[in-house]
Amino acid sequence: MLFSNCSSFRFFCSHCPSSMLHSLPKHIIKRRMLSLSSANMEAESASVLVLCGKSNAENEFALSLKSNNVLRFLDSNPVSICLHSEIRNLHCDSEGFQVDHYMDVLSTSQFGRFLMYSPRLGSTHDVVSHNFGELPIGAVCVADVQTKGRGRSKNVWESPKGCLLFSFTIQMEDGRVVPLVQYVVSLAVTEAVKDICQKKGIQHLDVKIKWPNDLYLDGLKVGGILCTSTYKSNKFNVSAGIGLNVSNEKPTTCLNATLQKWTPVAHELQREDIMAAFFNKFEDLYTVFMGQGFQSLEPLYYKTWLHSGQRVIVQDKNDNQDQVVENVVTIQGLTSSGYLLAISEDGQTCELHPDGNRWLC
């Protein structure tokens, strides 16, 4: 039995004191992260998009893509396209994304091998989604700064330097599992950070997943996932976007700020290492996901998310719509379609759905 016409609900962990009761937002909150100065915006009004591949074949494709001039951009500012080989010997910003280092660490057979990089771009998600048919599956676009970053419910924000900002392409045939791919992406992010910390011999940064697509560290949001899809020629074209606070402490916190609190020796995670580790992990997880279903990944996912055993107070109106009734349910996991599965105190089943930045049941 499902609870219906729910106006709002809030949740708390069954093992936490009542003082840690959290309230979910009732309205969509548009968060503008850190604005560039107007002088910088004017100086950097023109964007540059650098094309690069890990192999000779992918670099030849980059040359073809540039020569044919087929890439489309929604940004009103002009975008100049060049090859990484054309600028490799030029002086580059040391704070910019280090393409060569990223390619050296990457070990995939498909994902992340064809790369588009820009120091400043409107939206990496727009680049991959509006050029999906021109790009190989697994192509990635990464930027140092975004001026029109995409979020859920059409939220838009500016993203400062220090964020890892990238989007990539996935193609799927079974529409029933398309909604679940965002969970594979989220899991790959947390596993990538864990893997890097382990290899560096430093304390594990315990990045957690807040359903459906936020990333948290020490109770503060440090990242998010956005997956959109279109259907064409019997296939679902999925554009997956990731934003992760690596070195920028505002507006909340970042991985390196937390790491510096925990370790006496100065350690810093690099965006290039994280993105390469992400694709290395994602390719393996995605293979398991497509071959065995998400059920095979659920044990690992549940270890990483924030919601196991959480109790949810569901506010529902009675039949006369004049009184709010509260029902307490406990989150059990995910349904087969990817929604939250919860059980009420009297044994009734509740499936919780997201609606913008809220949850509805």
Side-chain angles (χ1 to χ4, degrees):
M1 179 177 180
L2 299 181
F3 295 110
S4 60
N5 300 322
C6 172
S7 58
S8 65
F9 63 83
R10 56 193 188 275
F11 62 92
F12 57 96
C13 296
S14 58
H15 55 272
C16 295
S18 59
S19 60
M20 294 188 69
L21 181 67
H22 302 284
S23 295
L24 288 175
K26 293 184 178 179
H27 303 288
I28 297 173
I29 299 174
K30 292 186 177 181
R31 175 173 290 170
R32 182 169 293 276
M33 295 179 71
L34 183 63
S35 300
L36 295 173
S37 67
S38 58
N40 284 342
M41 291 181 68
E42 291 177 3
E44 301 178 5
S45 58
S47 298
V48 175
L49 191 68
V50 180
L51 309 182
C52 180
K54 185 171 176 65
S55 69
N56 289 335
E58 287 142 358
N59 281 315
E60 290 176 1
F61 176 79
L63 176 60
S64 174
L65 199 62
K66 177 190 175 184
S67 301
N68 294 332
N69 194 28
V70 295
L71 293 179
R72 298 177 295 137
F73 304 97
L74 293 182
D75 201 329
S76 58
N77 295 325
V79 178
S80 299
I81 299 176
C82 64
L83 304 179
H84 182 56
S85 58
E86 297 171 340
I87 65 169
R88 181 178 275 119
N89 296 326
L90 299 179
H91 173 72
C92 296
D93 182 4
S94 60
E95 296 183 355
F97 191 85
Q98 303 300 305
V99 175
D100 287 330
H101 178 70
Y102 161 76
M103 289 296 182
D104 287 342
V105 180
L106 186 70
S107 61
T108 62
S109 60
Q110 181 180 32
F111 290 100
R113 294 177 62 90
F114 179 77
L115 179 140
M116 299 170 286
Y117 159 65
S118 178
R120 184 176 184 272
L121 201 60
S123 166
T124 61
H125 203 86
D126 285 345
V127 171
V128 299
S129 62
H130 287 85
N131 295 283
F132 198 102
E134 306 297 338
L135 301 173
I137 302 304
V140 57
C141 180
V142 60
D144 295 329
V145 172
Q146 280 189 145
T147 59
K148 298 177 182 178
R150 295 272 304 278
R152 292 177 63 207
S153 301
K154 299 182 180 179
N155 290 352
V156 177
W157 60 78
E158 293 185 1
S159 306
K161 286 187 176 180
C163 288
L164 174 58
L165 310 161
F166 67 100
S167 301
F168 67 103
T169 61
I170 312 168
Q171 194 167 69
M172 308 175 71
E173 296 182 359
D174 187 353
R176 294 171 297 179
V177 299
V178 169
L180 300 172
V181 75
Q182 63 179 326
Y183 306 143
V184 183
V185 174
S186 300
L187 188 57
V189 175
T190 62
E191 289 298 296
V193 173
K194 184 189 304 182
D195 184 65
I196 293 173
C197 291
Q198 183 177 355
K199 288 180 178 179
K200 288 180 174 289
I202 57 180
Q203 184 166 343
H204 171 216
L205 290 173
D206 195 18
V207 179
K208 294 291 189 180
I209 299 169
K210 179 183 177 183
W211 185 86
N213 53 10
D214 286 335
L215 301 169
Y216 273 66
L217 178 62
D218 287 351
L220 296 174
K221 182 176 177 178
V222 293
I225 311 297
L226 174 67
C227 291
T228 61
S229 65
T230 58
Y231 186 69
K232 186 177 182 180
S233 301
N234 298 320
K235 293 183 179 180
F236 291 89
N237 297 331
V238 180
S239 300
I242 296 92
L244 184 65
N245 296 351
V246 178
S247 300
N248 57 300
E249 296 188 36
K250 296 182 178 180
T252 55
T253 188
C254 64
L255 302 186
N256 284 333
T258 303
L259 192 61
Q260 290 168 9
K261 294 178 183 178
W262 292 352
T263 58
V265 181
H267 290 286
E268 282 198 352
L269 304 186
Q270 303 300 321
R271 292 179 300 151
E272 299 82 0
D273 289 326
I274 296 174
M275 194 168 92
F278 165 82
F279 281 119
N280 294 342
K281 289 292 183 180
F282 176 78
E283 190 162 275
D284 291 340
L285 294 172
Y286 184 73
T287 300
V288 174
F289 170 59
M290 295 305 294
Q292 304 175 30
F294 188 73
Q295 294 86 346
S296 59
L297 300 177
E298 282 184 349
L300 181 59
Y301 183 83
Y302 292 148
K303 287 181 180 179
T304 310
W305 79 338
L306 292 168
H307 307 295
S308 293
Q310 279 188 328
R311 298 174 66 198
V312 178
I313 300 176
V314 179
Q315 293 181 338
D316 194 13
K317 289 186 177 180
N318 62 8
D319 294 337
N320 296 326
Q321 299 292 308
D322 57 359
Q323 185 178 2
V324 174
V325 178
E326 291 190 345
N327 298 286
V328 178
V329 300
T330 302
I331 296 176
Q332 303 294 310
L334 295 174
T335 66
S336 59
S337 54
Y339 296 120
L340 286 182
L341 174 65
I343 304 296
S344 68
E345 292 181 323
D346 59 1
Q348 296 179 359
T349 299
C350 184
E351 187 179 68
L352 305 180
H353 296 235
D355 175 26
N357 286 356
R358 299 180 298 161
W359 290 353
L360 298 179
C361 67

